[in-house]
Amino acid sequence: MLNISQSTTGTANGKIILMGEHSVVYGEPAIAIPFPATHIQVTITAVEGPVQLDCVYYQGNLASAPTHLENLMAVVESTMSELKQELKDFKLTIKSTIPVERGMGSSAAVAIAMVRALFAYFSTPLPDNQLLALANVSETIAHGNPSGLDAAMTSGRHPLYYIKGKPFVPFHLSLSAYLIVADTGLKGQTRDAVASIAQLNRENQDKTMNAIHQLGDLAKQAKLAIESNLPVLLGSVMDTAHETLSFLGVSNETLNHLVRTARLNGALGAKLTGGGRGGCMIALAADKDTAARISAALSDAGAVNTWTHPLGDDKVE
Ligand code: PMV
């Protein structure tokens, strides 16, 4: 007998790359942080019949969902087969404040929240390694060859220091500062931007690799600045990273305009985040009032959305 009042939820948060985008592809370190100011919730409710999906893109039978949701379907199917359950008699409702295609990890976050909700629905314990493996089913469809960083960040609560091919290193984030994230309103173009740096590297390897190594050094300095609670140092490191990323051709006028606006309004530093050529930028503020001023100025300058997040409350257990 079906219990129609049965309902469970799974959640996940957005992520932000603080430092090291692009250079991480060449073996340099990157720093990413969970960004709980944006989050996603998947709710599962008992409904008799074929599995239903309710999200902003589609409402109806999961089996007839549009092809751009195939990663979502794949994660549901893999999870159900792992749970040894039949794919029927429930409805999936997705509510998200993580903008899509802005480098904030929305595809990984929806997969994480989905797996969590399904395991909870079938009252099955979910170890972290199983959660990440199932989320990577979806990430492989969405991104081809995912590093696993997005799945780790959107499921976790701690900043990670990451070098390609090595284990993620969680570290303590305790910085007396605020992070402001602004959405340009333009889709990020990670694939094109990564390809354009590869092309630059073929044309002028010395120049390109110098910039890549510099970004790696800046990521190391950023980690030091964070661990020693030196927001002014972190800000200047972010500024330099933005100039280097621009030199590599992965910024654009919209990002540069928002970065300049943040600096003019008192930011300790500002840079693009993620793949670039759209997506989001980040700025660092010393206090709440400055963060509010920067956030308002970024909106006036054309940002379609901004979020502010204190950086001083993380505790690595
Ligand atoms: O835009 P995002 O969050 O997918 O980040 C891309 C990060 C890059 O370093 C540019 C690419 C990569 O695969 O690491």
Side-chain angles (χ1 to χ4, degrees):
M1 180 70 195
L2 197 65
N3 174 5
I4 49 162
S5 67
Q6 193 178 358
S7 161
T8 58
T9 58
T11 59
N13 47 255
K15 74 105 207 313
I16 288 292
I17 298 180
L18 206 54
M19 292 290 293
E21 49 275 277
H22 289 291
S23 42
V24 71
V25 173
Y26 296 84
E28 298 290 343
I31 296 173
I33 62 167
F35 195 64
T38 60
H39 45 85
I40 191 159
Q41 178 170 307
V42 173
T43 304
I44 303 188
T45 34
V47 172
E48 259 178 290
V51 174
Q52 303 288 308
L53 176 62
D54 182 352
C55 65
V56 281
Y57 303 109
Y58 176 74
Q59 291 89 37
N61 283 353
L62 179 69
S64 315
T67 49
H68 74 268
L69 297 177
E70 66 175 333
N71 53 329
L72 200 63
M73 289 159 84
V75 80
V76 174
E77 281 165 15
S78 312
T79 305
M80 292 300 284
S81 103
E82 205 126 321
L83 287 164
K84 300 189 176 45
Q85 295 288 343
E86 271 187 87
L87 198 49
K88 63 176 183 124
D89 292 340
F90 58 84
K91 176 179 175 184
L92 306 161
T93 306
I94 304 174
K95 299 251 181 281
S96 177
T97 60
I98 308 175
V100 296
E101 295 185 71
R102 301 293 197 279
M104 289 175 83
S106 71
S107 65
V110 72
I112 293 285
M114 183 66 76
V115 176
R116 282 180 167 157
L118 285 167
F119 269 71
Y121 190 72
F122 292 103
S123 308
T124 307
L126 175 61
D128 276 355
N129 56 353
Q130 199 176 9
L131 170 65
L132 297 180
L134 282 166
N136 268 338
V137 170
S138 149
E139 285 295 274
T140 303
I141 294 171
H143 297 302
N145 183 19
S147 63
L149 183 67
D150 278 13
M153 291 314 310
T154 56
S155 64
R157 293 185 297 121
H158 306 304
L160 295 177
Y161 186 76
Y162 171 61
I163 297 175
K164 200 172 160 183
K166 301 201 174 156
F168 300 121
V169 182
F171 71 99
H172 189 85
L173 176 62
S174 178
L175 196 73
S176 312
Y178 289 78
L179 190 73
I180 302 103
V181 178
D183 182 356
T184 60
L186 307 168
K187 283 184 183 176
Q189 296 180 36
T190 303
R191 221 174 265 260
D192 288 353
V194 169
S196 79
I197 293 186
Q199 176 64 24
L200 208 61
N201 195 28
R202 283 191 288 276
E203 288 162 9
N204 191 336
Q205 194 174 18
D206 285 353
K207 197 172 91 168
T208 310
M209 288 318 290
N210 274 343
I212 294 289
H213 294 321
Q214 191 195 12
L215 286 169
D217 286 344
L218 291 167
K220 289 176 201 157
Q221 285 180 46
K223 181 165 183 278
L224 244 163
I226 291 167
E227 289 177 327
S228 316
N229 194 15
L230 298 170
V232 174
L233 175 61
L234 179 62
S236 82
V237 160
M238 287 166 62
D239 280 344
T240 312
H242 184 74
E243 301 322 317
T244 309
L245 289 163
S246 303
F247 169 80
L248 287 170
V250 295
S251 190
N252 66 7
E253 247 328 294
T254 311
L255 284 163
N256 292 344
H257 178 54
L258 294 183
V259 163
R260 269 195 306 272
T261 301
R263 290 178 188 157
L264 284 171
N265 283 277
L268 298 172
K271 65 184 276 290
L272 66 84
T273 175
R277 297 187 174 171
C280 292
M281 56 77 68
I282 55 176
L284 195 68
D287 54 63
K288 215 174 176 171
D289 290 347
T290 315
R293 188 164 77 235
I294 294 168
S295 168
L298 289 170
S299 297
D300 287 348
V304 298
N305 215 338
T306 66
W307 302 265
T308 300
H309 180 60
L311 293 175
D313 56 1
D314 178 74
K315 298 275 175 291
V316 175
E317 283 129 17

